[in-house]
Structure formats: C-alpha cells, structure tokens
C-alpha cells in the first residue's frame, strides 16, 4: 500500500464541518498518506470545531474563508502565503443552496436568488479559488472538487443544485484546459449520496439513501473513507496523467440501467 504517496505535499481543504463530512474523510486519508494539511472555516460557529479537527491531523493552519466575500479571499491568500510560499493543491468541498430550493417541484420553487447563490458558492468559487491561488500553486499541483449524479440525471428535490453541479463539472473541464499548461490538474469526484449536514437539507434524503443502497452494484452505501482514498490518489503523483475527469465513487450506481429485481 502506498502509505506515503502524499509525503510532504501541502494541501488546503475547504468545507470540513463535521466528522460526517466528505471533507473530513478526505483529510483523514490525506493525513494517513503523509500530506501536510491546512483548513478553512466558514464562520465563527465552526471555528473551534475545525481547529479541533485540524489538530487531529497534526495541523495548526486554520483560516477563515467566506468564498462569497472578496476581502475574505484576499486575506486568506495573504495569511496562507505567510506559512506556505508554495503549495500542492486544494480540495473544494463546498456547496450551498437555500433550503427552500431543495424541496418541491423544481419550477415552482426556483427563484433568482436561489439560482444565483447556488451557482456562486457551488461552482464559481472553485474557479475563483484557482484564480486567486494560481501564483503560489506548485507545478504538478492537483485541484479537486466534489459533485453528484444529480448534475446528469433528475433527482427529485435536488432541483437547482443539480444545475449548479452541472456547472461545476463543466468548470472542471475548462479549468483543466486552462491550467494544463502549468502542469496543474483539475478533477472531480462524483460520490454516492452521503449522510452529511448539507445533505440533510434535501427533502426525502433518507429515501434516496435506501434507493441508492438497493440500486448500486455493491448493495451498500459508500463511506467517506472510500471517497477520501480516491481523493488522496487524485492529489498524488500516481494520478499524474489524469485531468479534466469526473471520477465516480458510487458502487456502479451511475452505470446501472435497470433494477435487477425486475428480472427476479
């Protein structure tokens, strides 16, 4: 097993909010594989929690970041530059849509504010962070984001977030093209549904988990540790030829055409 495949690589992780979050699973795997980690928190409510998680991964590098605030982003660049003059990439585990957008008929609930904020936070922030940090990203860096199959197929109640994730996946391709000349890679992981603080806002999410478990080939849920292992690989030199890709970690759910129970 490649226990040190991220040895001495410096990775910034956005979006850790609880031990259930995908970002936590990614941090755990990256720490195991030798990465030096830094973290951001969105608000004061999360600050002490993120500091605690960072300490679990031998890090004291924790910074405030509101991806919708340009001053906050500028300060993050300045603060990070003090401790890391160069670093090896970041993990963008950030998504948001107002709760009233994640329940009910899509056309009935969609509004301009919901559309704008979901795309701004969930998609634009990824390329904006790449733009801000490009000057201190090392050659060979890897940028990673998280998406979901609702970008490609209709998922009831996912609504505008499906559009935002479709935008994010297109973003991955254009960013990979733009940054490729600097030998910087950009990829996404499309994970099976995970019970997190964010997913709890989606109406009917428990039913979604049951359906996913029954419909994917492995007949079980996907863990944040499994997603973390793939993330570690994608940020390592072992994946140096992979960019512009959406890698599915969903037990084969995305390629299953019909429930096998139909034939029983």
């Amino acid at each position: 097993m490649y226990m040190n495949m991220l040895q001495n690589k410096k990775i910034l992780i956005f979006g850790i909010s609880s031990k259930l979050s995908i970002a936590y699973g990614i941090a755990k795997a990256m720490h195991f594989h030798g990465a030096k980690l830094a973290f951001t928190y969105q608000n004061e409510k999360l600050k002490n929690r993120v500091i605690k998680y960072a300490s679990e991964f031998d890090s004291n590098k924790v910074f405030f970041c509101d991806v919708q605030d340009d001053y906050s982003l500028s300060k993050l660049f300045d603060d990070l530059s003090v401790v890391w003059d160069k670093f090896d990439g970041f993990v963008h585990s950030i998504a948001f849509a107002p709760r009233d957008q994640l329940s009910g008929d899509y056309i009935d609930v969609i509004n301009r504010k919901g559309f704008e904020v979901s795309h701004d936070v969930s998609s634009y922030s990824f390329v904006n962070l790449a733009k801000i940090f490009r000057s201190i990203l090392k050659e060979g860096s890897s940028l990673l984001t998280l998406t979901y199959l609702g970008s490609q197929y209709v998922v009831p109640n996912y609504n505008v977030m499906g559009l935002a994730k479709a935008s994010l996946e297109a973003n991955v391709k254009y960013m990979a093209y733009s940054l490729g000349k600097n030998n910087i890679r950009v990829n996404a992981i499309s994970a099976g549904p995970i019970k997190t603080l964010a997913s709890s806002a989606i109406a009917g999410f428990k039913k979604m988990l049951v359906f996913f478990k029954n419909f994917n080939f492995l007949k079980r849920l996907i863990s944040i540790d499994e997603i973390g292992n793939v993330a570690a690989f994608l940020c390592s030199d072992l994946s140096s030829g992979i960019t512009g890709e959406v890698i599915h970690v969903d037990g084969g759910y995305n390629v299953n055409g019909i429930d096998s129970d139909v034939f029983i």
Side-chain angles (χ1 to χ4, degrees):
M1 192 172 185
Y2 295 95
M3 291 182 61
N4 297 314
M5 64 181 176
L6 292 175
Q7 191 68 42
N8 295 323
K9 285 191 179 293
K10 299 173 181 176
I11 307 291
L12 175 61
I13 296 182
F14 295 86
I16 191 169
S17 58
S18 79
K19 286 197 171 185
L20 297 176
S21 65
I22 292 175
Y24 184 90
I26 291 174
K28 181 180 176 182
M30 289 189 169
H31 176 256
F32 175 80
H33 288 289
K36 297 179 179 178
L37 302 175
F39 300 87
T40 69
Y41 63 93
Q42 182 186 357
N43 52 49
E44 288 299 313
K45 181 180 178 181
L46 291 173
K47 180 179 180 179
N48 288 336
R49 188 186 306 176
V50 176
I51 290 173
K52 178 178 179 293
Y53 297 151
S55 68
E56 293 179 21
F57 305 124
D58 301 319
S59 174
N60 61 358
K61 298 174 179 61
V62 178
F63 308 97
F64 171 71
C65 178
D66 178 351
V67 295
Q68 291 188 283
D69 181 77
D70 289 338
Y71 173 77
S72 168
L73 292 168
S74 177
K75 188 173 188 308
L76 173 61
F77 176 88
D78 292 340
D79 291 345
L80 187 66
S81 298
V82 171
V83 295
W84 286 349
D85 58 341
K86 292 283 185 179
F87 69 111
D88 301 278
F90 61 80
V91 175
H92 173 270
S93 185
I94 302 173
F96 175 77
R99 186 177 287 269
D100 65 359
Q101 299 291 288
L102 301 174
S103 177
D105 182 83
Y106 169 64
I107 292 181
D108 287 344
V109 302
I110 188 70
N111 57 52
R112 188 182 303 276
K113 181 180 179 181
F115 187 96
E116 289 177 347
V117 70
S118 63
H119 283 72
D120 186 18
V121 175
S122 308
S123 179
Y124 175 71
S125 64
F126 187 40
V127 67
N128 194 34
L129 289 170
K131 188 172 185 176
I132 289 167
F133 288 114
R134 179 165 52 180
S135 65
I136 59 171
L137 286 169
K138 292 181 183 177
E139 182 178 345
S141 289
S142 177
L143 312 184
L144 183 65
T145 189
L146 281 301
T147 185
Y148 174 61
L149 198 64
S151 64
Q152 303 297 315
Y153 299 99
V154 173
V155 175
N157 298 313
Y158 201 59
N159 293 345
V160 71
M161 187 55 73
L163 280 70
K165 291 297 190 181
S167 169
L168 178 64
E169 290 178 19
N171 217 350
V172 167
K173 296 177 177 64
Y174 279 90
M175 289 169 63
Y177 168 74
S178 181
L179 293 170
K181 59 182 174 292
N182 303 119
N183 196 29
I184 295 174
R185 299 180 295 109
V186 186
N187 293 291
I189 292 175
S190 182
I194 300 286
K195 187 177 181 181
T196 65
L197 292 177
S199 64
S200 65
I202 303 170
F205 184 74
K206 289 182 179 179
K207 292 181 179 179
M208 187 189 301
L209 287 176
V210 172
F211 183 83
F212 171 81
K213 183 177 179 179
N214 292 331
F215 195 68
N216 78 74
F217 298 153
L218 300 179
K219 303 301 180 185
R220 62 173 175 79
L221 300 178
I222 299 299
S223 72
I224 59 173
D225 292 330
E226 290 174 309
I227 298 167
N229 289 335
V230 177
F233 164 72
L234 288 172
C235 287
S236 78
D237 294 338
L238 294 176
S239 62
S240 59
I242 301 175
T243 193
E245 294 290 340
V246 176
I247 308 296
H248 291 86
V249 185
D250 64 1
Y253 181 90
N254 73 98
V255 298
N256 199 2
I258 190 168
D259 194 334
S260 59
D261 288 346
V262 172
F263 297 98
I264 297 175

